[in-house]
Amino acid sequence: MRKTISNMYFTTTAILLVAGITVMGFVQMYLAISYFVSERKSALSGVVQVAAKQVSLLQPDEDLPQLSEENWERMQQALSIVSETSDSSLLLADDQGNVILAAGFDRALGAQIPRTVLDQMAGGQNAMFVSGTLDGVYDKGQYSAGCALTDASGQVRGYAFASSYASALNGYVADMFSTFILSAGLMLLISSLLSVVFTTRLTLPLRRIAEAARLIDAARRPLVMVGQGVTLGNAEAELRAFLEKSGMPVASTLLGLSALPSDHPQYVGMLGMHGNYGPNIKNRECDLIVAVGMRFDDRVTGSPAHFGENAKVIHLEIDPAEIDKIIHADVPVVGDARQTLPMLTERIRRGDHSAWIGEFRECDRIEYEAVVRKAVHPGEGRIRMGEAVDAVARAYDNDAVLVTDVGQQQMNAARYFGFRRTRSVVTSGGLGTMGFGLPAAIGAKLGAPGREVVLFAGDGGLQMTIQELGTIFQSHVAVKIVLLNNSFLGMVRQWQELFYDRRYSFTEMTNPDFGLIARGNGIEYRLVERREELAEAVAAMKASEGAFLLEVRVESEENIFPMVPAGAPVADIRFE
């Protein structure tokens, strides 16, 4: 891992450095070419014309004929003055070496040397500036070049000196080289800093994946907790591959249901307030929790201070805002589960936690005897909600899309419906929005017309959006509605019974005739009050090609268990 990170750092640094220097080189080359062109234009377009004169070129280090040392120095000084105030300059002298004309050209502005400067160089005489073409005064690659001006017989008539664009360009090239060296050093520093940032951002997930893999390999009592993020991220196959290799037990949140088939050999049930006994009671015993695509809702965690108190937590989540929001993550891995799960699967060793999973199966047996048998197979009394849910689930072979409203029917449906394929649950989750079910079922059927859609609703929640039966009638939406009617706002009544000594307040319902309402909207209707009628009525609902409302009168004061009291640790789950 260290070698990979080191190689990545140096590779990134080299790439950024080469890219930066290349770009900088092109910029410098462009500036140099632009400078060269502008200097050449300045030197060749705005110059002094020497008319009807033959020009003989001399090397700068050669002595000019009949030019005294004093006049030579005088001309050099004048040339220096011009050169300091312009990028290109030209100096003319008579045959005695007296300056008679000086001209300078600015690279950037093309400006002429001020007349006062020209007068000064001409020894106080009025100097004349002439524009035209320079013939014969060529750059020699030195600071200046000189020539003698002769007539047709070869008699020296004057002298010319030039300081042109090449000398300035040479200085610019030197400056450019220095700038290039400094820029290269700066670019190296910037590249290194960028490499640190880039490599850190790139390798941090890899480091966390490596740390997560180490914790998974070392765990003896791990538990994977799956949320809706797996389904939304289309990561079901990646989850199954991870579970197969790790061998760990897996539980689901309410919204994470159907990410795995209910009969998956490593699936141990639903988490949370009305979840299964095993994943809640074993929370204290876990030494590692791997949360995938879930947000640790309070209905899952109970008391956050006691959640997984003996476990390390690995949190795979696409939204960084959810990391450490409720439960601290020892190893947070931010990213799409479809990408991070395979990275984790690749690095872990093949595990076997069959003995640990066996402990969950023992919890299932305890829960069955304490709760499930009475809820699904009561044998006497009025029909139970769990019994009705189980009958519908078996009729559809656990392969319908389950939609729920909010309340006791929601929890019973989540516990007893069962799922064979993904994307088979539509529920409001922690929002607790009564009335959600009916419009959501319409949307589910329109979105998946090839699948059967079954809605479980209570008599309270159904009435909150019952007008949508008109939408079903008008749009011919073949939704199957199972109304579990207990004539109470069941979940509120349960809390009033358990925590407020049965002081019921505004929870008992006086309901309308749901059959009249259904038939008034052109929807088939069936009422079931006796257990013996349930299976046949469910079969009739399934056989119906259109919408169907099946009302099942259930036990009025039935409670949904197991249950974790609000704010209590999930390990304090109770059966009654």
Side-chain angles (χ1 to χ4, degrees):
M1 184 68 182
R2 289 183 178 178
K3 184 176 180 181
T4 301
I5 295 173
S6 177
N7 290 340
M8 188 175 297
Y9 169 78
F10 286 114
T11 301
T12 305
T13 301
I15 292 174
L16 290 173
L17 182 60
V18 170
I21 290 177
T22 301
V23 172
M24 185 173 62
F26 277 113
V27 171
Q28 295 278 17
M29 185 182 299
Y30 171 78
L31 293 177
I33 292 173
S34 300
Y35 184 90
F36 179 86
V37 170
S38 66
E39 286 299 332
R40 181 173 179 83
K41 181 178 180 181
S42 174
L44 296 182
S45 62
V47 293
V48 175
Q49 179 179 10
V50 182
K53 299 294 183 181
Q54 178 181 352
V55 179
S56 302
L57 292 179
L58 298 176
Q59 295 296 331
D61 55 350
E62 294 183 30
D63 291 333
L64 292 175
Q66 302 179 15
L67 188 62
S68 66
E69 184 70 25
E70 179 182 354
N71 284 333
W72 170 266
E73 292 178 357
R74 183 179 175 186
M75 292 178 65
Q76 289 286 359
Q77 289 174 1
L79 189 60
S80 296
I81 295 175
V82 180
S83 298
E84 288 175 0
T85 56
S86 63
D87 294 312
S88 299
S89 56
L90 184 69
L91 198 70
L92 295 181
D94 59 18
D95 57 356
Q96 299 300 314
N98 297 312
V99 176
I100 60 173
L101 188 147
F105 309 93
D106 183 271
R107 172 175 58 88
L109 303 176
Q112 303 171 7
I113 296 299
R115 178 168 295 278
T116 54
V117 175
L118 297 176
D119 291 344
Q120 178 184 1
M121 291 187 297
Q125 301 176 11
N126 291 328
M128 175 182 60
F129 181 83
V130 182
S131 63
T133 302
L134 175 63
D135 292 325
V137 181
Y138 299 101
D139 170 54
K140 294 297 182 181
Q142 304 292 332
Y143 177 76
S144 61
C147 62
L149 305 179
T150 62
D151 59 18
S153 64
Q155 182 69 31
V156 175
R157 298 298 185 187
Y159 304 94
F161 284 86
S163 174
S164 66
Y165 64 90
S167 60
L169 184 59
N170 289 337
Y172 181 80
V173 170
D175 292 341
M176 184 180 71
F177 182 75
S178 300
T179 304
F180 184 83
I181 295 299
L182 292 176
S183 301
L186 181 61
M187 187 60 66
L188 178 60
L189 177 61
I190 294 174
S191 300
S192 299
L193 293 176
L194 289 176
S195 295
V196 170
V197 175
F198 177 76
T199 306
T200 300
R201 290 178 62 89
L202 191 63
T203 61
L204 185 58
L206 296 179
R207 294 185 182 186
R208 288 175 173 170
I209 288 290
E211 176 62 14
R214 185 188 67 80
L215 291 178
I216 291 172
D217 290 340
R220 294 294 174 264
R221 296 179 303 280
L223 178 62
V224 180
M225 297 182 176
V226 175
Q228 193 181 23
V230 171
T231 305
L232 295 178
N234 298 309
E236 296 91 341
E238 289 75 12
L239 174 64
R240 287 194 295 271
F242 171 73
L243 293 173
E244 180 182 349
K245 188 173 182 180
S246 68
M248 294 191 294
V250 55
S252 170
T253 66
L254 173 62
L255 291 175
L257 291 171
S258 83
L260 281 173
S262 303
D263 59 357
H264 190 282
Q266 291 163 253
Y267 183 69
V268 296
M270 185 174 71
L271 299 157
M273 179 174 283
H274 293 289
N276 294 102
Y277 181 61
N280 283 298
I281 197 68
K282 290 293 183 182
N283 182 268
R284 273 188 188 144
E285 300 179 37
C286 290
D287 61 1
L288 178 66
I289 291 173
V290 182
V292 185
M294 61 170 291
R295 59 190 178 94
F296 290 108
D297 181 84
D298 63 342
R299 295 305 172 98
V300 169
T301 65
S303 170
H306 297 92
F307 183 84
E309 52 192 327
N310 297 310
K312 296 287 187 181
V313 176
I314 300 170
H315 194 178
L316 280 69
E317 171 61 42
I318 197 169
D319 184 0
E322 298 296 339
I323 301 294
D324 289 337
K325 187 173 77 173
I326 297 175
I327 299 298
H328 170 69
D330 297 280
V331 183
V333 180
V334 177
D336 189 339
R338 194 174 184 181
Q339 298 175 354
T340 56
L341 275 173
M343 295 169 66
L344 195 54
T345 304
E346 181 182 355
R347 286 164 175 79
I348 62 175
R349 295 195 300 265
R350 187 165 295 277
D352 181 7
H353 296 282
S354 54
W356 171 236
I357 294 175
E359 296 185 30
F360 285 89
R361 299 304 174 216
E362 181 59 32
C363 291
D364 291 344
R365 287 187 283 273
I366 295 172
E367 182 180 354
Y368 182 83
E369 294 299 327
V371 175
V372 178
R373 184 191 297 276
K374 292 184 292 185
V376 177
H377 308 293
E380 59 183 10
R382 301 188 70 176
I383 300 173
R384 299 292 185 98
M385 286 190 181
E387 183 179 6
V389 171
D390 180 68
V392 175
R394 284 187 285 106
Y396 284 94
D397 197 21
N398 302 117
D399 197 29
V401 175
L402 169 68
V403 183
T404 78
D405 206 87
V406 171
Q408 287 180 322
Q409 39 72 34
Q410 178 186 29
M411 294 296 100
N412 275 285
R415 285 176 54 81
Y416 301 123
F417 194 76
F419 309 96
R420 293 181 57 188
R421 52 175 158 164
T422 187
R423 294 185 178 271
S424 295
V425 179
V426 180
T427 186
S428 67
L431 292 176
T433 48
M434 293 178 66
F436 169 86
L438 189 55
I442 296 172
K445 184 61 179 178
L446 293 175
R451 298 192 65 184
E452 292 287 350
V453 175
V454 179
L455 164 66
F456 285 91
D459 45 313
L462 182 66
Q463 291 185 72
M464 292 190 173
T465 50
I466 200 168
Q467 72 277 5
E468 296 303 334
L469 293 178
T471 303
I472 292 175
F473 175 51
Q474 181 173 340
S475 301
H476 306 288
V477 184
V479 173
K480 307 302 168 63
I481 306 166
V482 181
L483 170 59
L484 301 180
N485 185 354
N486 60 0
S487 298
F488 272 98
L489 297 176
M491 187 64 79
V492 182
R493 184 210 58 76
Q494 177 172 333
W495 280 55
Q496 290 175 346
E497 174 189 338
L498 296 178
F499 306 115
Y500 298 95
D501 299 325
R502 292 179 181 269
R503 294 194 294 273
Y504 295 161
S505 176
F506 299 99
T507 51
E508 189 170 3
M509 302 285 293
T510 300
N511 291 318
D513 188 329
F514 291 106
L516 287 176
I517 296 174
R519 293 189 182 101
N521 285 283
I523 297 173
E524 288 189 69
Y525 171 81
R526 184 79 174 264
L527 172 64
V528 174
E529 296 186 272
R530 295 188 304 165
R531 182 169 288 107
E532 296 78 13
E533 302 171 346
L534 182 59
E536 190 274 330
V538 171
M541 177 181 72
K542 182 183 179 183
S544 173
E545 294 184 359
F548 197 101
L549 174 59
L550 174 60
E551 180 181 356
V552 182
R553 300 276 175 86
V554 297
E555 178 64 43
S556 295
E557 296 187 75
E558 176 188 4
N559 291 331
I560 174 72
F561 288 109
M563 180 179 182
V564 178
V570 292
D572 290 352
I573 190 169
R574 55 189 285 187
F575 289 136
E576 58 183 17

